[in-house]
């Protein structure tokens, strides 16, 4: 009956491509782009690359020799 509230449609997951059902209202807000939370997490990590960047920075900061001066 009420097609405006709670209307759903089938969308394709932006990560794995699996079809999933989501509310069109959520979709309009830019939500519901993934079939599951894990797909969302995977995709976001890939996109931001924060994890990799953090790892690289850590490795780089461990290396500089000025750290030797701090350590007694
Ligand atoms: Zn997925």
């Amino acid at each position: 009956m009420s097609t405006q509230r709670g209307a759903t449609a089938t969308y394709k997951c932006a990560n794995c491509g699996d079809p999933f059902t989501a509310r069109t209202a959520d979709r309009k807000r830019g939500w519901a782009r993934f079939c599951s939370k894990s797909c969302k997490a995977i995709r976001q990590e890939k996109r931001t690359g924060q994890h990799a960047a953090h790892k690289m920075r850590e490795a780089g900061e461990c290396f500089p020799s000025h750290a030797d001066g701090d350590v007694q």
Side-chain angles (χ1 to χ4, degrees), residues 13 15-18 35-36 39:
C13 174
N15 182 56
C16 69
D18 274 0
C35 70
S36 64
C39 271

